[in-house]
């Protein structure tokens, strides 16, 4: 199965009524474990990197081995650069070899967000790279206001204008979701999701999916949300798996063996999310 484009996977998901897990990674193992989960579940996957991890690992390293996993997979896997906060970061991702990038101008005034997103879309088109954008304020789960204040949410009419003016291929929306750990249980605005889905032709993206109640994620799938970003919970699962496999009494332990032993817990976590986002039981 060849490396697939994000837009093609999301279109397939929309047509077949499942949600795609977009798993954030930061090294070889986190990519390997996510890809193995997709293989076992027989369902498409998006592997993505947050550019803020660039101080830990270079963009082109992750792009290279993530694409290699995708090219050798027997299920569709796409590779994506998450949350580029500027035109320059998005273009750096394109240069590093990412077939899809997100440009996030949501913290900027509306017209600046439009202009920056449009510029990234135009540049990306030259290299046949997909572009995800964001409208509305998907803030921090540590802030109650970011979660509950509907003034932060995506405006439907503005979203229509934004997509038309920028030409973005998918749109991340704010509907009561936020990044990181939540200080209180989020309650997604399903009515707004319905209206956004009815008004827009592009796939919709939900950021901050870690710890959103399962029934809310499944309802979002049913309402037509296509891409579900998962980072915090995956990193927790990886950490817990390594801790469970580690033996502090084993002074001659092998780090490679430890990672191999820890793999199943991380793989099982991703498989569980894939099943959750696939309420109709789709399989390739």
């Amino acid at each position: 199965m060849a490396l697939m484009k994000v837009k093609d996977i999301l279109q397939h998901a929309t047509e077949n009524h499942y949600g795609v897990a977009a798993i954030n990674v930061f090294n070889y193992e986190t990519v390997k474990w996510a890809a193995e989960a997709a293989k076992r579940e027989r369902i498409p996957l998006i592997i993505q990197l947050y550019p803020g991890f660039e101080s830990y690992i270079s963009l082109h390293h992750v792009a290279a081995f993530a694409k290699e996993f995708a090219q050798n997979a027997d299920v569709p896997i796409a590779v994506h650069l998450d949350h580029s906060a500027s035109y320059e970061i998005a273009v750096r991702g394109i240069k590093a070899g990412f077939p899809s990038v997100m440009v996030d101008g949501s913290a900027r005034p509306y017209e600046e967000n439009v202009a920056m997103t449009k510029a990234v879309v135009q540049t990306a088109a030259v290299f046949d790279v997909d572009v995800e954008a964001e409208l509305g304020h998907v803030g921090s789960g540590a802030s109650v206001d970011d979660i509950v204040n509907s003034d932060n949410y995506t405006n439907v009419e503005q979203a229509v204008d934004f997509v038309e003016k920028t030409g973005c291929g998918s749109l991340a929306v704010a509907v009561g979701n936020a990044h990181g750990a939540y200080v209180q249980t989020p309650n997604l605005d399903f009515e707004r999701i319905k209206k956004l889905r009815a008004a827009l032709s592009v796939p919709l993206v939900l950021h901050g999916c870690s710890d959103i109640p399962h029934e809310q994620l499944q309802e979002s799938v049913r309402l037509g949300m296509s891409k579900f970003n998962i980072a915090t919970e995956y990193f927790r699962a990886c950490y817990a798996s390594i801790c469970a496999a580690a033996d502090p009494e084993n002074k001659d332990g092998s780090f490679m063996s430890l990672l191999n032993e820890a793999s199943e817990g991380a793989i099982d976590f991703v498989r569980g999310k894939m099943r959750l986002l696939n309420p109709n039981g789709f399989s390739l």
Side-chain angles (χ1 to χ4, degrees):
M1 181 72 68
L3 170 70
M4 297 289 287
K5 293 185 71 62
V6 167
K7 69 177 183 181
D8 293 335
I9 285 181
L10 294 184
Q11 181 63 37
H12 185 267
T14 301
E15 292 172 356
N16 290 279
H17 310 292
Y18 66 90
V20 182
I23 302 296
N24 278 72
V25 300
F26 58 87
N27 67 356
Y28 184 85
E29 281 75 24
T30 51
V31 172
K32 180 181 179 180
W33 297 339
E36 178 63 22
K39 175 183 177 181
R40 295 187 192 180
E41 284 300 305
R42 305 296 307 164
I43 198 165
L45 170 74
I46 297 170
I47 291 172
Q48 59 187 30
L49 174 72
Y50 171 55
F53 294 155
E54 196 171 11
S55 61
Y56 174 77
I57 189 168
S58 70
L59 300 184
H60 79 269
H61 282 156
V62 177
F65 58 70
K67 287 192 296 183
E68 183 177 0
F69 269 105
Q71 288 159 352
N72 293 324
D74 56 3
V75 293
I77 295 178
V79 178
H80 175 72
L81 184 68
D82 193 22
H83 275 294
S84 300
S86 69
Y87 173 86
E88 290 75 19
I89 295 173
V91 171
R92 197 156 71 242
I94 295 170
K95 288 181 178 178
F98 282 89
S100 175
V101 298
M102 180 199 180
V103 56
D104 180 8
S106 62
R108 301 169 182 248
Y110 178 71
E111 293 302 333
E112 285 186 25
N113 189 1
V114 169
M116 184 173 72
T117 301
K118 184 176 180 180
V120 172
V121 169
Q122 290 174 337
T123 300
V126 176
F127 302 95
D128 193 29
V129 168
D130 296 343
V131 177
E132 174 186 328
E134 181 170 314
L135 184 67
H137 179 58
V138 182
S140 169
S143 168
V144 173
D145 187 69
D146 284 354
I147 303 168
V148 304
N149 186 349
S150 61
D151 290 342
N152 297 323
Y153 297 178
T154 306
N155 178 278
V156 178
E157 291 74 20
Q158 195 175 61
V160 172
D161 181 70
F162 183 86
V163 170
E164 289 177 354
K165 286 181 176 177
T166 64
C168 62
S170 60
L171 187 66
V173 296
V175 290
N177 50 311
H179 298 108
Y182 289 94
V183 291
Q184 68 178 44
T185 303
N187 288 294
L188 301 183
D189 186 341
F190 295 128
E191 189 60 34
R192 192 175 302 257
I193 294 174
K194 287 181 189 176
K195 291 178 179 178
L196 286 163
R197 181 66 285 154
L200 299 172
S201 60
V202 299
L204 298 178
V205 180
L206 192 69
H207 286 221
C209 292
S210 295
D211 297 327
I212 291 179
H214 290 183
E215 63 274 12
Q216 292 191 38
L217 288 178
Q218 289 198 326
E219 182 63 14
S220 298
V221 174
R222 295 186 185 99
L223 295 176
M225 196 74 72
S226 298
K227 178 174 179 275
F228 294 78
N229 287 16
I230 301 164
T232 301
E233 275 190 292
Y234 183 45
F235 297 158
R236 277 195 218 129
C238 294
Y239 184 90
S241 295
I242 292 172
C243 288
D247 179 3
E249 300 302 319
N250 183 0
K251 304 304 181 184
D252 299 317
S254 162
F255 185 54
M256 183 174 70
S257 296
L258 173 62
L259 291 177
N260 284 334
E261 290 172 20
S263 63
E264 288 303 316
I267 292 166
D268 286 346
F269 167 80
V270 178
R271 293 185 72 185
K273 284 296 183 184
M274 288 178 160
R275 292 190 201 108
L276 180 67
L277 298 173
N278 185 24
N280 297 311
F282 174 81
S283 180
L284 293 168

